[in-house]
Amino acid sequence: MSVLTAEPGAVPAGEEPPDTGERYRLTAVTGLAALSLDAMASVAYGPEAIVLVLAAAGAHGLGYTLPVTLAIAALLAVLVASYRQVIAAFPDGGGSYAVARTHLGARTSLVAAASLVLDYVLNVAVAVTAGVAALTSAFPALYPHRLSLCLAVLVLITAVNLRGIVESAKAFIVPTVVFVGSIFVLIVVGLFRSSPASTATAAGHASVLADNASSVGALLLLKAFASGCAALTGVEAIANAVPSFRVPRAKRAQHAEVVLGAVLGAMLIGLSVLISRFHLQPVAGVTVLAQLADASLGHNWGFYVIQFATMILLALSANTSFGGLPVLLKLLARDNYLPHVFALKADRQVHRHGVLALAVVSAALLVFSGGDTNTLVPMFAIGVFVGFTVAQVGMVRHWLLERGPGWRGKALLNGFGAVLTGVATVVVTISKFTEGAWLVVVMLPLLVAAFVAVHRAYGRIGERLGLGRIPEPPHRERSVVIVPVSSLSRLTSAALSAAASLGDEVRAVTVCHPAPEDRAQLHALERAWAEWDPGVPLVRLSCERRTLGRPIAAYVREVAAAEPATQVTVLIPEAEPERLWQRLLQNQRGAVVAHAVRRETDAVICRLRFRLC
């Protein structure tokens, strides 16, 4: 007798290598394309949010644009450094949820998770509506169809993500490179200009700059800082999706996080410098980024390239949520806070149920808002600030417990960041409460309550199943297999053969209704059964009402009551057509019987598939 041996780590013939799923995971470059679109696209509205707030103090207020942006860039640096540590400490992903779960307790972690869920869902809706708004601005004839366009874009992004996160990353690399490259060209060209090349974009539009205003208070600066922090949304996405990266996952994710922070910070500061250099004022109906492109490049093809690149990237920045939220839902499902179906993966390392759930909820938001960005923006970014604050507080506790090299400096850095993001959370919530932020304030505790309810349900199920305890040894019981039949066919023969293999006794049952045609059909079946003589009794079940499932379920209850030590099994034979569309031709009797037996009895249900091929 020969013995087959193999080298350690060798793969037996006919089997795939154990980690073929790596090719469906992200590199640092594709990770940036898949998970940073939200953050990159935020430069289209982050600087504008600052300018619009400071405009309340007139031209003097706009002079503080660069200092406020530098403060936001400093916070960005703190966040990037913090999330690099989060990635290293929690390589299974989850970001602020994972940090809080370990160091701040279950309830705090659920607050972080709920805030991230809200932020991800709102990000999809805001990104899609903002991208379509840019399109309808260029082509006003499409404005009445903006909701249909939003839903079409959402379907497209969902379809790409169902093919795998790597496929979505590859599809979005080119738009990301074009957008980032065009923004840096805009900044570099603008730095060499002493005056705007063109002001055609803003011509004819009313300025929103406040008149007769000269004082800039601390509250206004704080509000501008909090509004500008909208540019930081998406910074946490890489830390949430670490398992989506290739080995070494943590290192690749950290590199992607650093590059994201450097590119985003450079763009924010560069655009802010140009705003101050060209003394731009916010005007109605024209974005600040459009004015900057006009002033730096002139009103030519370069201007339109930036506008179209911005439009595309805004629409596609929803992909950040499709990369991060399914991983977060998987972690919540693993911890029994969401249905376990969210932890399942498809062939291409896709959390398909998470992707589809995000798409459905986002579609509902789009329909609710009518495809209008302004309806959704007030609710945006609050969730991510809550997550930022929780993550930083959790990391402070992490350093206090770990006390590794340089822990004091790291704890101080995270603590400073927690104060900044905490203040921003409070200011944004208060300033935008009446504009729609109240909905987020209401939804956060409701989501947490839903997580707790699911967790308790799983706890009760686990207790009844005896999970974690050694069960009683298995034992054999006498079994009766009941087979519903309505006629004689190859399907009937296959069902009785399978039933004889499963149980000690087999009984065929047929339901008889009082109508004359039904009685004639029953008599024909009984004559054919006697002629066939399969060695299995045919039990007639009379029923006054024209139902099928309830009489069979009642008979199962009678058998179980008469023979309490017997295991009752109901074997339901069903024909499986060769073509998918032919399933529409079936009468669905099997599903009706299975539903009734499952609902009204404790019998085992077997559904025999007889392939018609």
Side-chain angles (χ1 to χ4, degrees):
M1 181 178 66
S2 62
V3 178
L4 298 178
T5 60
E7 292 296 327
V11 180
E15 294 186 13
E16 290 186 353
D19 205 14
T20 53
E22 285 298 303
R23 62 194 174 107
Y24 296 119
R25 298 185 188 272
L26 300 170
T27 63
V29 174
T30 54
L32 276 173
L35 302 172
S36 69
L37 295 181
D38 179 17
M40 296 294 186
S42 66
V43 301
Y45 50 80
E48 183 164 7
I50 299 172
V51 169
L52 288 174
V53 173
L54 293 177
H60 183 61
L62 292 178
Y64 286 87
T65 301
L66 182 57
V68 171
T69 303
L70 290 175
I72 293 173
L75 177 57
L76 173 63
V78 172
L79 288 173
V80 168
S82 175
Y83 276 104
R84 282 189 78 253
Q85 301 302 327
V86 171
I87 291 169
F90 300 91
D92 289 335
S96 57
Y97 167 69
V99 176
R101 182 175 175 272
T102 303
H103 296 299
L104 301 178
R107 288 300 176 95
T108 305
S109 72
L110 294 181
V111 172
S115 67
L116 287 174
V117 169
L118 289 174
D119 180 65
Y120 277 136
V121 173
L122 285 168
N123 173 60
V124 173
V126 170
V128 170
T129 55
V132 170
L135 177 65
T136 55
S137 297
F139 303 99
L142 296 176
Y143 184 80
H145 309 289
R146 62 190 186 280
L147 177 57
S148 299
L149 290 171
C150 286
L151 295 175
V153 171
L154 178 61
V155 169
L156 175 63
I157 297 174
T158 303
V160 172
N161 277 276
L162 286 175
R163 289 188 55 82
I165 191 169
V166 170
E167 296 297 327
S168 69
K170 290 177 180 177
F172 300 150
I173 283 178
V174 173
T176 304
V177 171
V178 171
F179 176 78
V180 173
S182 61
I183 293 296
F184 277 115
V185 168
L186 180 156
I187 293 171
V188 172
V189 173
L191 291 176
F192 285 95
R193 292 192 183 277
S194 58
S195 61
S198 170
T199 57
T201 303
H205 293 268
S207 173
V208 298
L209 196 67
D211 296 326
N212 303 320
S214 59
S215 61
V216 180
L219 186 59
L220 185 68
L221 291 176
L222 200 60
K223 186 176 180 180
F225 171 80
S227 297
C229 280
L232 303 181
T233 58
V235 172
E236 79 293 345
I238 293 175
N240 291 338
V242 178
S244 298
F245 284 83
R246 292 181 185 175
V247 176
R249 309 195 201 290
K251 288 292 184 183
R252 292 183 187 273
Q254 285 179 323
H255 292 161
E257 187 75 48
V258 171
V259 173
L260 169 60
V263 172
L264 179 57
M267 288 194 295
L268 289 174
I269 294 173
L271 293 176
S272 179
V273 169
L274 293 187
I275 291 173
S276 300
R277 188 182 188 88
F278 295 140
H279 305 289
L280 291 187
Q281 299 179 5
V283 297
V286 180
T287 66
V288 169
L289 186 60
Q291 291 187 67
L292 286 174
D294 200 21
S296 180
L297 304 176
H299 204 75
N300 49 34
W301 64 269
F303 169 81
Y304 287 103
V305 167
I306 289 182
Q307 290 305 103
F308 278 100
T310 303
M311 173 193 70
I312 293 172
L313 203 73
L314 277 169
L316 298 183
S317 64
N319 195 66
T320 297
S321 295
F322 283 97
L325 181 60
V327 176
L328 176 62
L329 297 183
K330 179 202 76 171
L331 295 177
L332 286 167
R334 184 195 65 186
D335 296 336
N336 295 331
Y337 290 110
L338 279 180
H340 289 169
V341 69
F342 289 109
L344 300 179
K345 278 187 178 181
D347 295 340
R348 295 171 176 262
Q349 300 296 313
V350 180
H351 295 96
R352 183 171 294 165
H353 295 89
V355 170
L356 292 175
L358 175 57
V360 170
V361 177
S362 300
L365 270 177
L366 290 173
V367 173
F368 165 76
S369 66
D372 181 27
T373 309
N374 294 327
T375 305
L376 299 167
V377 167
M379 299 181 283
F380 190 44
I382 295 177
V384 76
F385 287 135
V386 173
F388 283 161
T389 305
V390 170
Q392 304 250 31
V393 172
M395 287 307 294
V396 170
R397 182 167 175 77
H398 173 77
W399 297 125
L400 292 176
L401 294 174
E402 293 290 326
R403 293 181 178 267
W407 69 271
R408 288 186 176 86
K410 294 175 181 178
L412 183 62
L413 182 68
N414 291 136
F416 179 65
V419 171
L420 292 180
T421 55
V423 170
T425 303
V426 174
V427 173
V428 171
T429 303
I430 293 175
S431 61
K432 297 184 177 182
F433 187 83
T434 57
E435 301 174 25
W438 63 269
L439 185 59
V440 178
V441 176
V442 171
M443 286 303 300
L444 267 174
L446 289 180
L447 268 178
V448 172
F451 293 154
V452 172
V454 171
H455 190 73
R456 286 176 178 168
Y458 273 125
R460 289 193 295 268
I461 292 172
E463 181 64 27
R464 292 174 183 175
L465 290 176
L467 296 179
R469 299 193 300 268
I470 298 177
E472 297 178 358
H475 59 280
R476 191 182 187 282
E477 293 181 340
R478 181 179 179 276
S479 61
V480 173
V481 183
I482 298 172
V483 183
V485 298
S486 59
S487 61
L488 292 188
S489 65
R490 291 177 59 197
L491 177 61
T492 309
S493 177
L496 295 181
S497 298
S501 302
L502 292 175
D504 300 311
E505 181 184 352
V506 179
R507 301 177 190 176
V509 298
T510 187
V511 178
C512 174
H513 301 110
E517 63 271 17
D518 291 323
R519 288 189 173 277
Q521 184 178 1
L522 172 65
H523 293 325
L525 174 61
E526 289 178 332
R527 286 194 301 269
W529 196 273
E531 182 179 350
W532 182 35
D533 191 17
V536 174
L538 179 64
V539 180
R540 177 197 300 184
L541 304 178
S542 299
C543 181
E544 296 296 325
R545 301 176 60 184
R546 188 169 289 278
T547 61
L548 184 64
R550 288 184 178 179
I552 295 176
Y555 179 72
V556 171
R557 289 199 305 271
E558 290 177 9
V559 173
E563 305 177 52
T566 300
Q567 175 65 61
V568 180
T569 300
V570 179
L571 189 146
I572 305 171
E574 296 175 291
E576 185 168 310
E578 183 179 3
R579 306 287 183 183
L580 181 62
W581 68 268
Q582 292 174 341
R583 295 184 181 182
L584 299 175
L585 307 179
Q586 294 179 298
N587 55 26
Q588 304 301 322
R589 285 187 172 186
V592 171
V593 173
H595 176 72
V597 173
R598 180 180 296 109
R599 183 183 58 190
E600 300 180 22
T601 75
D602 294 327
V604 175
I605 299 174
C606 294
R607 301 182 72 169
L608 174 68
R609 301 287 185 178
F610 185 80
R611 297 183 183 276
L612 302 176
C613 57

